[in-house]
Amino acid sequence: MCELLQCGEFEKTMLARTVLLQMANSKKMEAFVRGNGWAVRSAARFVAGETAEAAIVPVRALNDQGITATLDLLGESVTNEQEVAEVLDTYLHLFEIISQEKLNANVSIKLTALGLDLDPELCKRNMLRLLKAAGPEQFVRIDMESSAYTQATLDLFYGLWNGPDKFRNVGAVIQSYLRRSADDIEDLIKARARVRLCKGAYKEPANVAFPDKSDVDANYVRLMQRLLSDGNYPGIATHDEKMITATREYARANDIGADRFEFQMLFGIRRDLQSLLIKQGYRVRVYTPFGTHWYPYMMRRLAERPANLWFVMKNALRG
Ligand SMILES: Cc1cc2nc3c(=O)[nH]c(=O)nc-3n(C[C@H](O)[C@H](O)[C@H](O)COP(=O)(O)OP(=O)(O)OC[C@H]3O[C@@H](n4cnc5c(N)ncnc54)[C@H](O)[C@@H]3O)c2cc1C
């Protein structure tokens, strides 16, 4: 291993990222961190609270700035039907809160949290219950997980979209790092489905996903252009200023109004950019996670940008 002081910036960042990702999976570290006030204060930067009720204040603060939200219950993989039922109940409760508190928010959900691994039929039944409860005024975005779930997720999505109820309050997510995504986007455009475009967050093999960031970015721009031209109110989910500039330029050049798409970012990340886009007349939605499983989520956000560690350390010193 290189001596830390002799490392370049890149090596230091990669080292910090590896350590943070290892810490994200450590139960001992989780117990230690969760017991510390400074860590809880730091988590509040990235997570809206431990309960749906706690998330009301931060979501209202976003709404007051003209930013909409999509609420996501943080969770680890569910292992039995009881845990799945608890996730379903939390989302049903969330719809009540959104409507009672008049929050400008929708919800995002992972199908594995609704039981996809346990029983795909159970997962489908749960999605049906969720979409019926959501009604036409609420919207449910199905997050995209690793490539092991891509086909199953899209199959379930089309089952809901084309099924007897023809749900229109549901949307899909496509990841630009996947080689298959150009074809998936064309199918979703044909279906008039609502798509969130992101780069993709999982470790994938090279035969499935582009290993080079430049290819992921180039594909992102291509898919963004397809969605802006022919898609149905796409969500352009990224903090990458190059992707955001490309989106704005393409929209301007093709006379696509700022009301025909929205930018999406994560809670607590690039808040400066979120406000700037709002001031410039764009729509911004912030992915707002909440729940007790905030530790691995916070560690992954820190690993994406180890410079954020300074912010955590400042909180620790203040504590
Ligand atoms: C609203 C939303 C929903 C998402 N949904 C999914 C999903 O369903 N499935 C999925 O696989 N992935 C999802 N992602 C994650 C996404 O795939 C990327 O992993 C993540 O957004 C980082 O990619 P980026 O586009 O921001 O670009 P990157 O190239 O990773 O980052 C670009 C720049 O953004 C800034 N940035 C990025 N991360 C941070 C951070 N933690 N702290 C501070 N600055 C940062 C930095 O300035 C960085 O240089 C979602 C992301 C967003 C914003």
Side-chain angles (χ1 to χ4, degrees), residues 121-135:
E121 279 308 310
L122 168 76
C123 179
K124 187 169 182 185
R125 280 199 303 278
N126 285 336
M127 270 309 288
L128 285 170
R129 260 197 81 190
L130 210 57
L131 294 180
K132 282 188 177 147

PDB file of all heavy atoms in Angstrom, residues 121-135:
ATOM      1  N   GLU A 121     -44.724 -12.597  -7.397  1.00  0.00           N
ATOM      2  CA  GLU A 121     -46.185 -12.385  -7.389  1.00  0.00           C
ATOM      3  C   GLU A 121     -46.606 -11.530  -6.193  1.00  0.00           C
ATOM      4  O   GLU A 121     -47.484 -10.676  -6.297  1.00  0.00           O
ATOM      5  CB  GLU A 121     -46.923 -13.732  -7.362  1.00  0.00           C
ATOM      6  CG  GLU A 121     -47.035 -14.393  -8.735  1.00  0.00           C
ATOM      7  CD  GLU A 121     -47.626 -13.441  -9.789  1.00  0.00           C
ATOM      8  OE1 GLU A 121     -48.676 -12.838  -9.528  1.00  0.00           O
ATOM      9  OE2 GLU A 121     -47.008 -13.297 -10.868  1.00  0.00           O
ATOM     10  N   LEU A 122     -45.957 -11.783  -5.045  1.00  0.00           N
ATOM     11  CA  LEU A 122     -46.226 -10.977  -3.846  1.00  0.00           C
ATOM     12  C   LEU A 122     -45.848  -9.515  -4.118  1.00  0.00           C
ATOM     13  O   LEU A 122     -46.596  -8.585  -3.787  1.00  0.00           O
ATOM     14  CB  LEU A 122     -45.394 -11.521  -2.677  1.00  0.00           C
ATOM     15  CG  LEU A 122     -45.322 -10.649  -1.425  1.00  0.00           C
ATOM     16  CD1 LEU A 122     -46.625 -10.738  -0.643  1.00  0.00           C
ATOM     17  CD2 LEU A 122     -44.141 -11.046  -0.523  1.00  0.00           C
ATOM     18  N   CYS A 123     -44.706  -9.347  -4.773  1.00  0.00           N
ATOM     19  CA  CYS A 123     -44.235  -7.999  -5.089  1.00  0.00           C
ATOM     20  C   CYS A 123     -45.246  -7.294  -6.000  1.00  0.00           C
ATOM     21  O   CYS A 123     -45.576  -6.123  -5.796  1.00  0.00           O
ATOM     22  CB  CYS A 123     -42.866  -8.125  -5.756  1.00  0.00           C
ATOM     23  SG  CYS A 123     -42.165  -6.564  -6.217  1.00  0.00           S
ATOM     24  N   LYS A 124     -45.753  -8.018  -6.992  1.00  0.00           N
ATOM     25  CA  LYS A 124     -46.726  -7.423  -7.910  1.00  0.00           C
ATOM     26  C   LYS A 124     -48.014  -7.044  -7.164  1.00  0.00           C
ATOM     27  O   LYS A 124     -48.566  -5.955  -7.366  1.00  0.00           O
ATOM     28  CB  LYS A 124     -47.035  -8.401  -9.052  1.00  0.00           C
ATOM     29  CG  LYS A 124     -47.894  -7.775 -10.106  1.00  0.00           C
ATOM     30  CD  LYS A 124     -48.005  -8.615 -11.345  1.00  0.00           C
ATOM     31  CE  LYS A 124     -48.854  -7.848 -12.354  1.00  0.00           C
ATOM     32  NZ  LYS A 124     -49.134  -8.601 -13.536  1.00  0.00           N
ATOM     33  N   ARG A 125     -48.462  -7.945  -6.293  1.00  0.00           N
ATOM     34  CA  ARG A 125     -49.682  -7.643  -5.510  1.00  0.00           C
ATOM     35  C   ARG A 125     -49.475  -6.378  -4.670  1.00  0.00           C
ATOM     36  O   ARG A 125     -50.353  -5.528  -4.570  1.00  0.00           O
ATOM     37  CB  ARG A 125     -50.031  -8.826  -4.588  1.00  0.00           C
ATOM     38  CG  ARG A 125     -50.737  -9.969  -5.276  1.00  0.00           C
ATOM     39  CD  ARG A 125     -51.451 -10.870  -4.272  1.00  0.00           C
ATOM     40  NE  ARG A 125     -50.583 -11.431  -3.255  1.00  0.00           N
ATOM     41  CZ  ARG A 125     -49.803 -12.513  -3.411  1.00  0.00           C
ATOM     42  NH1 ARG A 125     -49.786 -13.143  -4.579  1.00  0.00           N
ATOM     43  NH2 ARG A 125     -49.052 -12.969  -2.424  1.00  0.00           N
ATOM     44  N   ASN A 126     -48.277  -6.266  -4.088  1.00  0.00           N
ATOM     45  CA  ASN A 126     -47.980  -5.085  -3.267  1.00  0.00           C
ATOM     46  C   ASN A 126     -47.963  -3.811  -4.102  1.00  0.00           C
ATOM     47  O   ASN A 126     -48.461  -2.772  -3.673  1.00  0.00           O
ATOM     48  CB  ASN A 126     -46.635  -5.266  -2.561  1.00  0.00           C
ATOM     49  CG  ASN A 126     -46.726  -6.243  -1.406  1.00  0.00           C
ATOM     50  OD1 ASN A 126     -47.813  -6.438  -0.855  1.00  0.00           O
ATOM     51  ND2 ASN A 126     -45.629  -6.867  -1.044  1.00  0.00           N
ATOM     52  N   MET A 127     -47.381  -3.901  -5.302  1.00  0.00           N
ATOM     53  CA  MET A 127     -47.364  -2.717  -6.176  1.00  0.00           C
ATOM     54  C   MET A 127     -48.789  -2.331  -6.566  1.00  0.00           C
ATOM     55  O   MET A 127     -49.136  -1.152  -6.620  1.00  0.00           O
ATOM     56  CB  MET A 127     -46.534  -2.985  -7.436  1.00  0.00           C
ATOM     57  CG  MET A 127     -45.079  -2.636  -7.329  1.00  0.00           C
ATOM     58  SD  MET A 127     -44.713  -0.965  -6.730  1.00  0.00           S
ATOM     59  CE  MET A 127     -45.171   0.048  -8.103  1.00  0.00           C
ATOM     60  N   LEU A 128     -49.636  -3.336  -6.838  1.00  0.00           N
ATOM     61  CA  LEU A 128     -51.033  -3.042  -7.183  1.00  0.00           C
ATOM     62  C   LEU A 128     -51.716  -2.307  -6.040  1.00  0.00           C
ATOM     63  O   LEU A 128     -52.412  -1.313  -6.246  1.00  0.00           O
ATOM     64  CB  LEU A 128     -51.795  -4.340  -7.488  1.00  0.00           C
ATOM     65  CG  LEU A 128     -51.503  -4.994  -8.839  1.00  0.00           C
ATOM     66  CD1 LEU A 128     -52.124  -6.389  -8.913  1.00  0.00           C
ATOM     67  CD2 LEU A 128     -52.034  -4.137  -9.978  1.00  0.00           C
ATOM     68  N   ARG A 129     -51.478  -2.799  -4.810  1.00  0.00           N
ATOM     69  CA  ARG A 129     -52.093  -2.137  -3.638  1.00  0.00           C
ATOM     70  C   ARG A 129     -51.605  -0.705  -3.509  1.00  0.00           C
ATOM     71  O   ARG A 129     -52.390   0.219  -3.267  1.00  0.00           O
ATOM     72  CB  ARG A 129     -51.710  -2.903  -2.361  1.00  0.00           C
ATOM     73  CG  ARG A 129     -52.820  -3.804  -1.900  1.00  0.00           C
ATOM     74  CD  ARG A 129     -52.638  -4.214  -0.486  1.00  0.00           C
ATOM     75  NE  ARG A 129     -53.075  -3.207   0.493  1.00  0.00           N
ATOM     76  CZ  ARG A 129     -52.833  -3.286   1.783  1.00  0.00           C
ATOM     77  NH1 ARG A 129     -52.149  -4.301   2.265  1.00  0.00           N
ATOM     78  NH2 ARG A 129     -53.274  -2.369   2.608  1.00  0.00           N
ATOM     79  N   LEU A 130     -50.319  -0.545  -3.724  1.00  0.00           N
ATOM     80  CA  LEU A 130     -49.711   0.783  -3.588  1.00  0.00           C
ATOM     81  C   LEU A 130     -50.276   1.749  -4.626  1.00  0.00           C
ATOM     82  O   LEU A 130     -50.656   2.877  -4.306  1.00  0.00           O
ATOM     83  CB  LEU A 130     -48.203   0.627  -3.785  1.00  0.00           C
ATOM     84  CG  LEU A 130     -47.278   1.583  -3.078  1.00  0.00           C
ATOM     85  CD1 LEU A 130     -47.515   1.556  -1.581  1.00  0.00           C
ATOM     86  CD2 LEU A 130     -45.819   1.194  -3.364  1.00  0.00           C
ATOM     87  N   LEU A 131     -50.375   1.302  -5.863  1.00  0.00           N
ATOM     88  CA  LEU A 131     -50.834   2.204  -6.933  1.00  0.00           C
ATOM     89  C   LEU A 131     -52.316   2.515  -6.789  1.00  0.00           C
ATOM     90  O   LEU A 131     -52.751   3.634  -7.095  1.00  0.00           O
ATOM     91  CB  LEU A 131     -50.534   1.611  -8.304  1.00  0.00           C
ATOM     92  CG  LEU A 131     -49.043   1.474  -8.629  1.00  0.00           C
ATOM     93  CD1 LEU A 131     -48.834   0.866 -10.009  1.00  0.00           C
ATOM     94  CD2 LEU A 131     -48.326   2.819  -8.546  1.00  0.00           C
ATOM     95  N   LYS A 132     -53.091   1.528  -6.308  1.00  0.00           N
ATOM     96  CA  LYS A 132     -54.523   1.802  -6.086  1.00  0.00           C
ATOM     97  C   LYS A 132     -54.676   2.823  -4.969  1.00  0.00           C
ATOM     98  O   LYS A 132     -55.476   3.757  -5.073  1.00  0.00           O
ATOM     99  CB  LYS A 132     -55.270   0.508  -5.749  1.00  0.00           C
ATOM    100  CG  LYS A 132     -55.530  -0.291  -7.011  1.00  0.00           C
ATOM    101  CD  LYS A 132     -56.424  -1.496  -6.787  1.00  0.00           C
ATOM    102  CE  LYS A 132     -56.659  -2.167  -8.149  1.00  0.00           C
ATOM    103  NZ  LYS A 132     -56.796  -3.607  -8.062  1.00  0.00           N
ATOM    104  N   ALA A 133     -53.878   2.639  -3.898  1.00  0.00           N
ATOM    105  CA  ALA A 133     -53.960   3.592  -2.773  1.00  0.00           C
ATOM    106  C   ALA A 133     -53.456   4.969  -3.203  1.00  0.00           C
ATOM    107  O   ALA A 133     -53.954   5.991  -2.732  1.00  0.00           O
ATOM    108  CB  ALA A 133     -53.137   3.081  -1.591  1.00  0.00           C
ATOM    109  N   ALA A 134     -52.466   4.991  -4.084  1.00  0.00           N
ATOM    110  CA  ALA A 134     -51.884   6.270  -4.507  1.00  0.00           C
ATOM    111  C   ALA A 134     -52.916   7.107  -5.247  1.00  0.00           C
ATOM    112  O   ALA A 134     -52.959   8.332  -5.098  1.00  0.00           O
ATOM    113  CB  ALA A 134     -50.665   6.024  -5.387  1.00  0.00           C
ATOM    114  N   GLY A 135     -53.733   6.449  -6.052  1.00  0.00           N
ATOM    115  CA  GLY A 135     -54.734   7.196  -6.825  1.00  0.00           C
ATOM    116  C   GLY A 135     -54.066   8.085  -7.852  1.00  0.00           C
ATOM    117  O   GLY A 135     -52.836   8.144  -7.932  1.00  0.00           O
TER     118      GLY A 135
END
